[in-house]
Amino acid sequence: MLQRDPNAKHPKYIYMNRRHFLVKAVPMAAGAALLAACAPTLGQVTSPPQAPAGTPVPTMAPKDLPAALAHTDAFSNVTTDELGDKLNTFEQITNYNNYYEFSTDKEAVAPLAKNFVTAPWFVEVNGLVNKPRTFALADLYNSFKQEEHVYRLRCVEAWSMVMPWVGFPLSDLLKMVEPKPEAKFVKFVTVFDKSQMPNQNFPILQWPYVEGLRLDEAMNNLTILATGLYGKPLTNQQGAPIRLVVPWKYGFKSIKAINQIELTDKAPLNTWQEAASNEYGFYANVNPEVDHPRWSQATERRIGEIGRRRSLMFNGYEDQVSSLYQGLDLRANF
Ligand code: MTE
């Protein structure tokens, strides 16, 4: 995001532009390093995925997701979304990725993430809940019905794709842990594992990557935890083994490789807001009427298409989500 000019069409131009921004980004990175050095609490550290004491090591590995899906209608061979937009291909979706822990170059993420080890994996759910719990991946596959969800993903950089996810509503998991009445927000944290995620060794962003939703946004039917795509387990570059997908918000909200979910009473400071609060907010709802300070959000480039298309309010999910924001100034709360 720091490096993207969304109006650039030619890959080489994008490449040049990326370099330009990387150079510009250095002072921020240095600043982040400095801040982290004098404020240890900023560098909130979680450990790599590991079993809590007494948890049996799961027998199910990500490759077993297809078996878990066998008794569901997890991949229906649909070819379009509900607006009639064609699905992006598996190749497009898995070779053009934002995943800063591995690379700031979208086409380099897939090869660099290839050997990322995602089994065993645990997701700890805690904070303001009655029944805190650590889920092994097998629990997540088996306790929740895995279904297909075809969604548009609209990046804040103004490119987009249509993706056939496999996953389950986040609300199913939240109901199981029983949020306390004072829980108002949900915080998500990506695994922190410098030995596997090369860029976590550098202050490109504040690590680990953090995102947040209001509890009512988290409970909305559209919000899912994705475990797969095109009927197969997620690839590493997509955020295996489990990631968030919030289709009416800019893509940076859809945090990858989650191993902690915490219910809180305060809005979590998400990673991009922390990096540049004048450019990236907490809400990050797709809004063609509110431009990014450095580019227009009125249009977008659908990967695989020539030319640009009009961006849609809430990414086309207005009917399902606009009631969440009644009375909220969407310009101030961007
Ligand atoms: N999650 C983590 N942990 N690290 C990241 O760099 N990038 C975000 C989001 N989730 C990111 C992340 C951004 S900016 C986007 S647009 C989407 O992932 C991209 O998802 P995709 O690569 O599956 O298209």
Side-chain angles (χ1 to χ4, degrees), residues 18-237:
R18 176 178 302 129
R19 290 216 184 115
H20 171 70
F21 273 113
L22 276 178
V23 171
K24 276 181 84 172
V26 165
M28 186 212 87
L34 235 149
L35 267 175
C38 52
T41 48
L42 283 176
Q44 24 169 329
V45 171
T46 60
S47 47
Q50 53 184 247
T55 308
V57 173
T59 51
M60 188 185 271
K63 65 177 171 39
D64 297 321
L65 179 60
L69 298 181
H71 18 256
T72 74
D73 53 354
F75 185 60
S76 61
N77 289 317
V78 294
T79 54
T80 65
D81 69 5
E82 82 286 2
L83 301 179
D85 290 354
K86 252 179 43 197
L87 299 191
N88 281 90
T89 64
F90 183 81
E91 285 64 35
Q92 287 168 333
I93 296 170
T94 57
N95 287 291
Y96 190 81
N97 299 98
N98 268 337
Y99 204 167
Y100 278 64
E101 286 87 339
F102 291 98
S103 178
T104 53
D105 176 349
K106 295 177 187 15
E107 280 141 43
V109 171
L112 286 168
K114 203 168 106 212
N115 297 321
F116 181 59
V117 178
T118 58
W121 191 276
F122 299 89
V123 180
E124 196 183 342
V125 188
N126 59 20
L128 298 172
V129 295
N130 290 324
K131 297 184 172 167
R133 177 166 168 187
T134 298
F135 294 87
L137 197 56
D139 302 330
L140 295 167
Y141 285 167
N142 291 323
S143 309
F144 305 104
K145 189 164 179 243
Q146 310 288 321
E147 288 177 320
E148 185 182 67
H149 298 259
V150 176
Y151 288 154
R152 295 170 292 286
L153 182 137
R154 167 50 159 92
C155 179
V156 72
E157 299 162 334
W159 55 266
S160 62
M161 296 203 215
V162 184
M163 307 186 181
W165 300 104
V166 173
F168 56 93
L170 173 63
S171 60
D172 288 357
L173 179 142
L174 293 176
K175 282 177 203 154
M176 194 177 272
V177 296
E178 294 181 8
K180 293 185 175 172
E182 57 272 33
K184 299 283 179 266
F185 295 91
V186 188
K187 175 182 173 185
F188 306 85
V189 186
T190 293
V191 67
F192 186 73
D193 186 356
K194 288 176 170 192
S195 66
Q196 289 211 76
M197 294 177 143
N199 278 351
Q200 286 185 338
N201 292 288
F202 306 101
I204 295 167
L205 288 171
Q206 186 78 54
W207 308 115
Y209 195 99
V210 169
E211 257 310 331
L213 293 175
R214 256 178 20 200
L215 184 57
D216 57 348
E217 297 177 316
M219 296 299 283
N220 185 278
N221 281 341
L222 290 176
T223 307
I224 61 165
L225 285 172
T227 49
L229 183 105
Y230 268 113
K232 297 184 213 150
L234 287 180
T235 59
N236 288 344
Q237 60 269 34

Side-chain angles (χ1 to χ4, degrees), residues 260-333:
Q260 251 189 51
I261 298 178
E262 186 189 346
L263 284 276
T264 67
D265 55 0
K266 289 183 196 64
L269 181 62
N270 49 317
T271 295
W272 281 102
Q273 192 183 2
E274 214 223 350
S277 60
N278 59 327
E279 302 197 354
Y280 310 104
F282 173 78
Y283 280 95
N285 292 317
V286 175
N287 189 342
E289 282 162 25
V290 178
D291 289 339
H292 184 279
R294 289 187 277 131
W295 58 79
S296 163
Q297 294 292 23
T299 64
E300 67 199 58
R301 183 172 61 98
R302 177 66 48 85
I303 301 302
E305 287 182 358
I306 300 164
R308 301 182 73 80
R309 49 164 71 212
R310 226 167 31 87
S311 288
L312 302 174
M313 188 63 203
F314 295 115
N315 204 19
Y317 299 99
E318 193 162 8
D319 288 351
Q320 292 100 312
V321 300
S322 60
S323 60
L324 292 169
Y325 308 106
Q326 241 145 51
L328 193 74
D329 176 351
L330 296 177
R331 213 163 261 284
N333 297 280

